[in-house]
Amino acid sequence: MSHRFVVVGGDAAGMSAASKAKRENSDLDVVVFEKGEWVSYGACGLPYYVKGDVEELEDLVAVPPEAFREKRDIDLRTGHEVTAIDAEEKQVTVRANGETFTEPYDTLLVATGARAIEPPFDGMDLPGVFTLHSMESGERLREYLETEVLAGTATGGGSRGASDGDAAVAVIGGGYVGIEMAEAFAEHGLEVHLFEMLPHVLQPFGPEVADVVEEHLRDVGVNLHLDTRVEGFLGEGALEAVETESDAYEASLAVVGVGVAPNAELAAEAGAELGDSGAVAVDEYGRTSLSDVFSAGDCAEATHTVTQAPDFVPLALTANRAGRAIGQTVTGDPTPVGEIAGTATVKAFDLQAARTGILDEARARNHGFDPVNVTITASSRAHYYPGGSDIQVTLVGDRETGRVLGSSMVGEEGVPKRIDTVATALHGGMTVQELQNLDLAYAPPFSPTWDPVLTAAKVLGGKLED
Ligand SMILES: Cc1cc2nc3c(=O)[nH]c(=O)nc-3n(C[C@H](O)[C@H](O)[C@H](O)COP(=O)(O)OP(=O)(O)OC[C@H]3O[C@@H](n4cnc5c(N)ncnc54)[C@H](O)[C@@H]3O)c2cc1C
């Protein structure tokens, strides 16, 4: 009998694993259980679907279900929820179409992803209050936006339609999803209130980036409420206002984007160890503490390349990469899932922000580093070449070893690919001196002779020698 590889969860991690395993060994019996109807979708595109840059929800699908079934010969079963894992008997319990049954496995991958955190706010269940994580939530949000807010038919106060120019919406949480949603709503001509309980937006990007982004958000008309804790939602039959500690703000739609929690319960209830983050603890091959059970993606931890400690940074490439590696491993070719550097980027209206590695001083010290940082501003192009703009680069190094620890950047162009240079340096364990000596591409339309990354490394190198 052929080896049976069962996957729970049909998105980035799960479908990458299933596809790779089948590609490497077509004799494998690969079964995927996905509780929803969508598979292989790009949730990352949901803010742009709400904004209108992406027209159809289907456009976010990378590979349609039929292609997995017919071209890749994967037994993909949508509408099938795995409710339990019996690691002793090596079987899963599945619920589908009102029935419950068990299915055996030889190797199991838990790729159940994460879910949007729903704070216990009053009025969280009012029509007009949304989280944004699943495809269904994106579809509901856009429909409500179009029919109840933009069409000017919302029952909520202050909702007079975009044509009036002052229908108000709220975004709770200044993380990357919150900022992308602020842009999406502003694009529709709505008055946007963004509430963040911390002193800054984009907390993982550090205050240097946040300062610049916050100024820009205000410039483009976003009403920014920092240090402001939302307490609940008010409305008769539908959302009418957002209540904070001290005020109430009219809003006919609100998106709560306060982070995600790993869907680790399925694995935990089967006895798999969880890490401090609450996500599934895995080794370098994505193996859990249960025999023949792997985990990958937003439900699992990963090893941080700078600290070599487990970390939880739920992002798309990490999920795809780990899934692919596990798909290879189950065919008998052990392949590490790879380390992460926490590299992330976000578009904030006309700005690009990015970060990688360890930026936070306390965190760096906890891991035994003595962090030193510099922040420089340089031009994105040669000074004489038209169209350039400032890029602000913060670079962090370790005083004792000279090693690069992390970086953040913000500017109007060329930011994400420049952060990738530093991310590469982190994966290579490079020192600030080595970063400074890199032979990077130069031509006037693309960078100054000394790229801003090199300039930051030169300045930090000097400071490390002090
Ligand atoms: C709005 C938004 C914007 C984002 N933007 C970015 C970005 O710009 N860059 C970036 O890197 N990342 C981004 N992400 C994160 C990225 O989408 C995730 O990291 C990625 O989808 C993780 O893939 P995954 O396969 O681990 O989990 P998921 O995509 O969450 O998929 C898990 C699947 O498992 C299914 N499932 C769960 N439990 C069960 C069960 N018991 N039985 C059967 N099926 C189950 C779920 O229905 C789901 O389909 C964004 C996410 C969102 C929501």
mmCIF file of all heavy atoms in Angstrom, residues 212-252:
data_model
loop_
_atom_site.group_PDB
_atom_site.id
_atom_site.type_symbol
_atom_site.label_atom_id
_atom_site.label_comp_id
_atom_site.label_asym_id
_atom_site.label_seq_id
_atom_site.Cartn_x
_atom_site.Cartn_y
_atom_site.Cartn_z
ATOM 1 N N VAL A 212 7.563 58.469 10.634
ATOM 2 C CA VAL A 212 7.426 58.921 9.245
ATOM 3 C C VAL A 212 6.062 58.509 8.690
ATOM 4 O O VAL A 212 5.367 59.299 8.031
ATOM 5 C CB VAL A 212 8.567 58.331 8.371
ATOM 6 C CG1 VAL A 212 8.411 58.746 6.921
ATOM 7 C CG2 VAL A 212 9.928 58.752 8.917
ATOM 8 N N VAL A 213 5.675 57.264 8.970
ATOM 9 C CA VAL A 213 4.390 56.772 8.457
ATOM 10 C C VAL A 213 3.236 57.559 9.072
ATOM 11 O O VAL A 213 2.288 57.948 8.379
ATOM 12 C CB VAL A 213 4.239 55.257 8.739
ATOM 13 C CG1 VAL A 213 2.820 54.772 8.431
ATOM 14 C CG2 VAL A 213 5.251 54.457 7.911
ATOM 15 N N GLU A 214 3.333 57.844 10.372
ATOM 16 C CA GLU A 214 2.239 58.576 11.042
ATOM 17 C C GLU A 214 2.073 59.975 10.435
ATOM 18 O O GLU A 214 0.953 60.422 10.193
ATOM 19 C CB GLU A 214 2.524 58.668 12.546
ATOM 20 C CG GLU A 214 2.289 57.337 13.247
ATOM 21 C CD GLU A 214 3.014 57.220 14.572
ATOM 22 O OE1 GLU A 214 3.530 58.238 15.091
ATOM 23 O OE2 GLU A 214 3.086 56.085 15.094
ATOM 24 N N GLU A 215 3.194 60.636 10.178
ATOM 25 C CA GLU A 215 3.105 61.974 9.585
ATOM 26 C C GLU A 215 2.421 61.894 8.215
ATOM 27 O O GLU A 215 1.573 62.712 7.876
ATOM 28 C CB GLU A 215 4.523 62.558 9.452
ATOM 29 C CG GLU A 215 4.513 64.033 9.153
ATOM 30 C CD GLU A 215 5.932 64.571 8.954
ATOM 31 O OE1 GLU A 215 6.879 64.021 9.560
ATOM 32 O OE2 GLU A 215 6.071 65.534 8.180
ATOM 33 N N HIS A 216 2.800 60.860 7.460
ATOM 34 C CA HIS A 216 2.218 60.692 6.127
ATOM 35 C C HIS A 216 0.718 60.382 6.224
ATOM 36 O O HIS A 216 -0.092 60.911 5.454
ATOM 37 C CB HIS A 216 2.961 59.580 5.390
ATOM 38 C CG HIS A 216 2.489 59.373 3.988
ATOM 39 N ND1 HIS A 216 2.560 60.342 3.024
ATOM 40 C CD2 HIS A 216 1.897 58.300 3.388
ATOM 41 C CE1 HIS A 216 2.065 59.887 1.885
ATOM 42 N NE2 HIS A 216 1.648 58.643 2.088
ATOM 43 N N LEU A 217 0.343 59.518 7.164
ATOM 44 C CA LEU A 217 -1.079 59.179 7.311
ATOM 45 C C LEU A 217 -1.893 60.446 7.592
ATOM 46 O O LEU A 217 -2.964 60.657 7.022
ATOM 47 C CB LEU A 217 -1.279 58.164 8.449
ATOM 48 C CG LEU A 217 -0.752 56.746 8.204
ATOM 49 C CD1 LEU A 217 -0.924 55.876 9.453
ATOM 50 C CD2 LEU A 217 -1.458 56.077 7.026
ATOM 51 N N ARG A 218 -1.338 61.294 8.465
ATOM 52 C CA ARG A 218 -2.061 62.548 8.769
ATOM 53 C C ARG A 218 -2.122 63.434 7.523
ATOM 54 O O ARG A 218 -3.147 64.034 7.231
ATOM 55 C CB ARG A 218 -1.367 63.288 9.911
ATOM 56 C CG ARG A 218 -1.524 62.564 11.247
ATOM 57 C CD ARG A 218 -1.051 63.423 12.424
ATOM 58 N NE ARG A 218 -1.219 62.714 13.672
ATOM 59 C CZ ARG A 218 -0.242 62.125 14.360
ATOM 60 N NH1 ARG A 218 1.020 62.175 13.914
ATOM 61 N NH2 ARG A 218 -0.503 61.493 15.472
ATOM 62 N N ASP A 219 -1.000 63.486 6.777
ATOM 63 C CA ASP A 219 -0.967 64.320 5.565
ATOM 64 C C ASP A 219 -2.023 63.907 4.547
ATOM 65 O O ASP A 219 -2.560 64.748 3.828
ATOM 66 C CB ASP A 219 0.405 64.211 4.872
ATOM 67 C CG ASP A 219 1.470 65.020 5.610
ATOM 68 O OD1 ASP A 219 1.086 65.798 6.510
ATOM 69 O OD2 ASP A 219 2.660 64.843 5.290
ATOM 70 N N VAL A 220 -2.262 62.590 4.461
ATOM 71 C CA VAL A 220 -3.243 62.149 3.451
ATOM 72 C C VAL A 220 -4.658 62.131 4.025
ATOM 73 O O VAL A 220 -5.597 61.668 3.372
ATOM 74 C CB VAL A 220 -2.883 60.757 2.861
ATOM 75 C CG1 VAL A 220 -1.586 60.834 2.084
ATOM 76 C CG2 VAL A 220 -2.818 59.684 3.942
ATOM 77 N N GLY A 221 -4.808 62.603 5.252
ATOM 78 C CA GLY A 221 -6.163 62.816 5.776
ATOM 79 C C GLY A 221 -6.699 61.765 6.716
ATOM 80 O O GLY A 221 -7.874 61.806 7.084
ATOM 81 N N VAL A 222 -5.862 60.800 7.095
ATOM 82 C CA VAL A 222 -6.331 59.793 8.058
ATOM 83 C C VAL A 222 -6.361 60.429 9.456
ATOM 84 O O VAL A 222 -5.424 61.115 9.851
ATOM 85 C CB VAL A 222 -5.396 58.557 8.066
ATOM 86 C CG1 VAL A 222 -5.782 57.580 9.182
ATOM 87 C CG2 VAL A 222 -5.427 57.861 6.715
ATOM 88 N N ASN A 223 -7.466 60.202 10.167
ATOM 89 C CA ASN A 223 -7.569 60.684 11.553
ATOM 90 C C ASN A 223 -6.926 59.647 12.458
ATOM 91 O O ASN A 223 -7.490 58.569 12.675
ATOM 92 C CB ASN A 223 -9.037 60.864 11.939
ATOM 93 C CG ASN A 223 -9.716 61.868 11.044
ATOM 94 O OD1 ASN A 223 -9.551 63.067 11.220
ATOM 95 N ND2 ASN A 223 -10.433 61.372 10.044
ATOM 96 N N LEU A 224 -5.759 59.969 12.937
ATOM 97 C CA LEU A 224 -4.969 59.004 13.684
ATOM 98 C C LEU A 224 -5.191 59.195 15.179
ATOM 99 O O LEU A 224 -4.997 60.294 15.704
ATOM 100 C CB LEU A 224 -3.500 59.258 13.330
ATOM 101 C CG LEU A 224 -2.506 58.132 13.455
ATOM 102 C CD1 LEU A 224 -2.981 56.873 12.765
ATOM 103 C CD2 LEU A 224 -1.168 58.594 12.857
ATOM 104 N N HIS A 225 -5.610 58.128 15.850
ATOM 105 C CA HIS A 225 -5.843 58.201 17.297
ATOM 106 C C HIS A 225 -4.855 57.243 17.963
ATOM 107 O O HIS A 225 -5.141 56.051 18.097
ATOM 108 C CB HIS A 225 -7.278 57.807 17.628
ATOM 109 C CG HIS A 225 -8.314 58.579 16.868
ATOM 110 N ND1 HIS A 225 -8.790 59.796 17.287
ATOM 111 C CD2 HIS A 225 -8.945 58.321 15.686
ATOM 112 C CE1 HIS A 225 -9.692 60.246 16.418
ATOM 113 N NE2 HIS A 225 -9.786 59.369 15.434
ATOM 114 N N LEU A 226 -3.672 57.752 18.296
ATOM 115 C CA LEU A 226 -2.651 56.914 18.941
ATOM 116 C C LEU A 226 -2.901 56.900 20.444
ATOM 117 O O LEU A 226 -3.586 57.783 20.985
ATOM 118 C CB LEU A 226 -1.257 57.465 18.635
ATOM 119 C CG LEU A 226 -0.896 57.521 17.151
ATOM 120 C CD1 LEU A 226 0.462 58.185 16.947
ATOM 121 C CD2 LEU A 226 -0.903 56.132 16.527
ATOM 122 N N ASP A 227 -2.308 55.886 21.107
ATOM 123 C CA ASP A 227 -2.492 55.794 22.560
ATOM 124 C C ASP A 227 -3.965 55.775 22.925
ATOM 125 O O ASP A 227 -4.345 56.285 23.985
ATOM 126 C CB ASP A 227 -1.849 57.021 23.246
ATOM 127 C CG ASP A 227 -0.480 56.700 23.783
ATOM 128 O OD1 ASP A 227 -0.282 55.549 24.214
ATOM 129 O OD2 ASP A 227 0.386 57.603 23.748
ATOM 130 N N THR A 228 -4.769 55.240 22.046
ATOM 131 C CA THR A 228 -6.219 55.302 22.251
ATOM 132 C C THR A 228 -6.799 53.892 22.226
ATOM 133 O O THR A 228 -6.745 53.208 21.204
ATOM 134 C CB THR A 228 -6.890 56.149 21.139
ATOM 135 O OG1 THR A 228 -6.249 57.424 21.109
ATOM 136 C CG2 THR A 228 -8.370 56.313 21.394
ATOM 137 N N ARG A 229 -7.328 53.502 23.352
ATOM 138 C CA ARG A 229 -7.869 52.151 23.478
ATOM 139 C C ARG A 229 -9.361 52.154 23.127
ATOM 140 O O ARG A 229 -10.133 52.896 23.731
ATOM 141 C CB ARG A 229 -7.677 51.672 24.919
ATOM 142 C CG ARG A 229 -8.083 50.246 25.167
ATOM 143 C CD ARG A 229 -7.903 49.922 26.634
ATOM 144 N NE ARG A 229 -6.507 49.777 26.980
ATOM 145 C CZ ARG A 229 -5.834 48.624 26.916
ATOM 146 N NH1 ARG A 229 -6.454 47.541 26.530
ATOM 147 N NH2 ARG A 229 -4.563 48.576 27.252
ATOM 148 N N VAL A 230 -9.728 51.341 22.137
ATOM 149 C CA VAL A 230 -11.147 51.193 21.801
ATOM 150 C C VAL A 230 -11.783 50.280 22.835
ATOM 151 O O VAL A 230 -11.203 49.267 23.235
ATOM 152 C CB VAL A 230 -11.299 50.632 20.364
ATOM 153 C CG1 VAL A 230 -12.711 50.131 20.113
ATOM 154 C CG2 VAL A 230 -10.921 51.700 19.351
ATOM 155 N N GLU A 231 -12.988 50.644 23.266
ATOM 156 C CA GLU A 231 -13.647 49.827 24.282
ATOM 157 C C GLU A 231 -14.849 49.075 23.749
ATOM 158 O O GLU A 231 -15.270 48.096 24.343
ATOM 159 C CB GLU A 231 -14.086 50.718 25.436
ATOM 160 C CG GLU A 231 -12.910 51.507 25.994
ATOM 161 C CD GLU A 231 -12.891 51.570 27.489
ATOM 162 O OE1 GLU A 231 -13.914 51.971 28.031
ATOM 163 O OE2 GLU A 231 -11.847 51.216 28.090
ATOM 164 N N GLY A 232 -15.414 49.541 22.643
ATOM 165 C CA GLY A 232 -16.574 48.828 22.121
ATOM 166 C C GLY A 232 -17.202 49.558 20.959
ATOM 167 O O GLY A 232 -16.734 50.613 20.517
ATOM 168 N N PHE A 233 -18.299 48.945 20.479
ATOM 169 C CA PHE A 233 -19.019 49.502 19.336
ATOM 170 C C PHE A 233 -20.461 49.780 19.741
ATOM 171 O O PHE A 233 -21.068 49.002 20.473
ATOM 172 C CB PHE A 233 -18.976 48.515 18.165
ATOM 173 C CG PHE A 233 -17.573 48.198 17.736
ATOM 174 C CD1 PHE A 233 -17.001 46.965 18.012
ATOM 175 C CD2 PHE A 233 -16.804 49.149 17.080
ATOM 176 C CE1 PHE A 233 -15.693 46.677 17.634
ATOM 177 C CE2 PHE A 233 -15.504 48.871 16.690
ATOM 178 C CZ PHE A 233 -14.942 47.642 16.976
ATOM 179 N N LEU A 234 -20.998 50.873 19.251
ATOM 180 C CA LEU A 234 -22.357 51.275 19.598
ATOM 181 C C LEU A 234 -23.218 51.291 18.347
ATOM 182 O O LEU A 234 -22.730 51.611 17.253
ATOM 183 C CB LEU A 234 -22.344 52.687 20.211
ATOM 184 C CG LEU A 234 -21.424 52.900 21.418
ATOM 185 C CD1 LEU A 234 -21.350 54.383 21.767
ATOM 186 C CD2 LEU A 234 -21.920 52.088 22.610
ATOM 187 N N GLY A 235 -24.487 50.958 18.517
ATOM 188 C CA GLY A 235 -25.406 51.056 17.378
ATOM 189 C C GLY A 235 -26.700 50.336 17.666
ATOM 190 O O GLY A 235 -26.735 49.391 18.447
ATOM 191 N N GLU A 236 -27.749 50.805 17.005
ATOM 192 C CA GLU A 236 -29.060 50.151 17.098
ATOM 193 C C GLU A 236 -29.241 49.349 15.823
ATOM 194 O O GLU A 236 -29.537 49.920 14.781
ATOM 195 C CB GLU A 236 -30.171 51.206 17.194
ATOM 196 C CG GLU A 236 -30.148 52.053 18.446
ATOM 197 C CD GLU A 236 -30.670 51.294 19.662
ATOM 198 O OE1 GLU A 236 -31.561 50.443 19.472
ATOM 199 O OE2 GLU A 236 -30.162 51.539 20.768
ATOM 200 N N GLY A 237 -29.016 48.067 15.879
ATOM 201 C CA GLY A 237 -29.208 47.232 14.684
ATOM 202 C C GLY A 237 -28.017 47.180 13.752
ATOM 203 O O GLY A 237 -27.882 46.257 12.972
ATOM 204 N N ALA A 238 -27.156 48.167 13.808
ATOM 205 C CA ALA A 238 -25.927 48.172 13.006
ATOM 206 C C ALA A 238 -24.956 49.170 13.641
ATOM 207 O O ALA A 238 -25.357 50.004 14.461
ATOM 208 C CB ALA A 238 -26.212 48.581 11.567
ATOM 209 N N LEU A 239 -23.698 49.052 13.262
ATOM 210 C CA LEU A 239 -22.686 49.934 13.848
ATOM 211 C C LEU A 239 -22.987 51.409 13.571
ATOM 212 O O LEU A 239 -23.281 51.784 12.432
ATOM 213 C CB LEU A 239 -21.310 49.577 13.273
ATOM 214 C CG LEU A 239 -20.160 50.475 13.744
ATOM 215 C CD1 LEU A 239 -19.845 50.234 15.213
ATOM 216 C CD2 LEU A 239 -18.921 50.259 12.884
ATOM 217 N N GLU A 240 -22.905 52.200 14.612
ATOM 218 C CA GLU A 240 -23.078 53.646 14.451
ATOM 219 C C GLU A 240 -21.866 54.416 14.973
ATOM 220 O O GLU A 240 -21.564 55.494 14.492
ATOM 221 C CB GLU A 240 -24.335 54.127 15.183
ATOM 222 C CG GLU A 240 -25.608 53.596 14.548
ATOM 223 C CD GLU A 240 -26.864 53.931 15.341
ATOM 224 O OE1 GLU A 240 -26.809 54.825 16.205
ATOM 225 O OE2 GLU A 240 -27.878 53.273 15.107
ATOM 226 N N ALA A 241 -21.187 53.844 15.961
ATOM 227 C CA ALA A 241 -20.060 54.590 16.537
ATOM 228 C C ALA A 241 -19.066 53.652 17.213
ATOM 229 O O ALA A 241 -19.410 52.548 17.638
ATOM 230 C CB ALA A 241 -20.571 55.607 17.558
ATOM 231 N N VAL A 242 -17.842 54.132 17.284
ATOM 232 C CA VAL A 242 -16.772 53.428 17.995
ATOM 233 C C VAL A 242 -16.538 54.167 19.304
ATOM 234 O O VAL A 242 -16.395 55.393 19.313
ATOM 235 C CB VAL A 242 -15.470 53.443 17.157
ATOM 236 C CG1 VAL A 242 -14.318 52.833 17.936
ATOM 237 C CG2 VAL A 242 -15.677 52.719 15.847
ATOM 238 N N GLU A 243 -16.510 53.404 20.376
ATOM 239 C CA GLU A 243 -16.354 54.027 21.693
ATOM 240 C C GLU A 243 -14.936 53.808 22.201
ATOM 241 O O GLU A 243 -14.449 52.674 22.233
ATOM 242 C CB GLU A 243 -17.357 53.390 22.653
ATOM 243 C CG GLU A 243 -17.550 54.176 23.921
ATOM 244 C CD GLU A 243 -18.618 53.529 24.806
ATOM 245 O OE1 GLU A 243 -18.794 52.293 24.730
ATOM 246 O OE2 GLU A 243 -19.244 54.273 25.570
ATOM 247 N N THR A 244 -14.268 54.888 22.578
ATOM 248 C CA THR A 244 -12.949 54.773 23.201
ATOM 249 C C THR A 244 -13.096 55.109 24.682
ATOM 250 O O THR A 244 -14.205 55.369 25.158
ATOM 251 C CB THR A 244 -11.950 55.749 22.555
ATOM 252 O OG1 THR A 244 -12.337 57.080 22.883
ATOM 253 C CG2 THR A 244 -11.901 55.584 21.042
ATOM 254 N N GLU A 245 -11.958 55.130 25.390
ATOM 255 C CA GLU A 245 -12.014 55.438 26.830
ATOM 256 C C GLU A 245 -12.690 56.779 27.087
ATOM 257 O O GLU A 245 -13.391 56.957 28.076
ATOM 258 C CB GLU A 245 -10.595 55.503 27.398
ATOM 259 C CG GLU A 245 -9.912 54.168 27.446
ATOM 260 C CD GLU A 245 -8.406 54.282 27.208
ATOM 261 O OE1 GLU A 245 -8.006 54.937 26.212
ATOM 262 O OE2 GLU A 245 -7.655 53.724 28.004
ATOM 263 N N SER A 246 -12.473 57.733 26.168
ATOM 264 C CA SER A 246 -12.932 59.085 26.469
ATOM 265 C C SER A 246 -13.961 59.656 25.497
ATOM 266 O O SER A 246 -14.568 60.676 25.786
ATOM 267 C CB SER A 246 -11.716 60.025 26.480
ATOM 268 O OG SER A 246 -11.020 59.873 25.264
ATOM 269 N N ASP A 247 -14.161 59.012 24.345
ATOM 270 C CA ASP A 247 -15.014 59.616 23.319
ATOM 271 C C ASP A 247 -15.788 58.553 22.546
ATOM 272 O O ASP A 247 -15.520 57.364 22.676
ATOM 273 C CB ASP A 247 -14.156 60.373 22.291
ATOM 274 C CG ASP A 247 -13.797 61.750 22.768
ATOM 275 O OD1 ASP A 247 -14.712 62.528 23.051
ATOM 276 O OD2 ASP A 247 -12.579 62.020 22.871
ATOM 277 N N ALA A 248 -16.668 59.032 21.703
ATOM 278 C CA ALA A 248 -17.329 58.144 20.729
ATOM 279 C C ALA A 248 -17.198 58.796 19.352
ATOM 280 O O ALA A 248 -17.305 60.019 19.228
ATOM 281 C CB ALA A 248 -18.791 57.948 21.090
ATOM 282 N N TYR A 249 -16.881 57.977 18.363
ATOM 283 C CA TYR A 249 -16.667 58.486 17.004
ATOM 284 C C TYR A 249 -17.657 57.805 16.068
ATOM 285 O O TYR A 249 -17.737 56.575 16.057
ATOM 286 C CB TYR A 249 -15.233 58.183 16.534
ATOM 287 C CG TYR A 249 -14.184 58.874 17.361
ATOM 288 C CD1 TYR A 249 -13.737 58.313 18.550
ATOM 289 C CD2 TYR A 249 -13.662 60.095 16.950
ATOM 290 C CE1 TYR A 249 -12.778 58.952 19.325
ATOM 291 C CE2 TYR A 249 -12.705 60.738 17.719
ATOM 292 C CZ TYR A 249 -12.264 60.162 18.901
ATOM 293 O OH TYR A 249 -11.315 60.787 19.662
ATOM 294 N N GLU A 250 -18.366 58.596 15.288
ATOM 295 C CA GLU A 250 -19.307 58.013 14.334
ATOM 296 C C GLU A 250 -18.561 57.150 13.329
ATOM 297 O O GLU A 250 -17.508 57.543 12.824
ATOM 298 C CB GLU A 250 -20.043 59.125 13.579
ATOM 299 C CG GLU A 250 -21.105 59.800 14.414
ATOM 300 C CD GLU A 250 -21.934 60.771 13.590
ATOM 301 O OE1 GLU A 250 -21.601 60.998 12.405
ATOM 302 O OE2 GLU A 250 -22.907 61.300 14.144
ATOM 303 N N ALA A 251 -19.128 55.995 13.041
ATOM 304 C CA ALA A 251 -18.555 55.125 12.007
ATOM 305 C C ALA A 251 -19.633 54.150 11.558
ATOM 306 O O ALA A 251 -20.363 53.604 12.390
ATOM 307 C CB ALA A 251 -17.356 54.357 12.544
ATOM 308 N N SER A 252 -19.730 53.938 10.261
ATOM 309 C CA SER A 252 -20.731 52.991 9.775
ATOM 310 C C SER A 252 -20.110 51.649 9.415
ATOM 311 O O SER A 252 -20.820 50.715 9.054
ATOM 312 C CB SER A 252 -21.456 53.573 8.562
ATOM 313 O OG SER A 252 -20.517 54.026 7.627
#
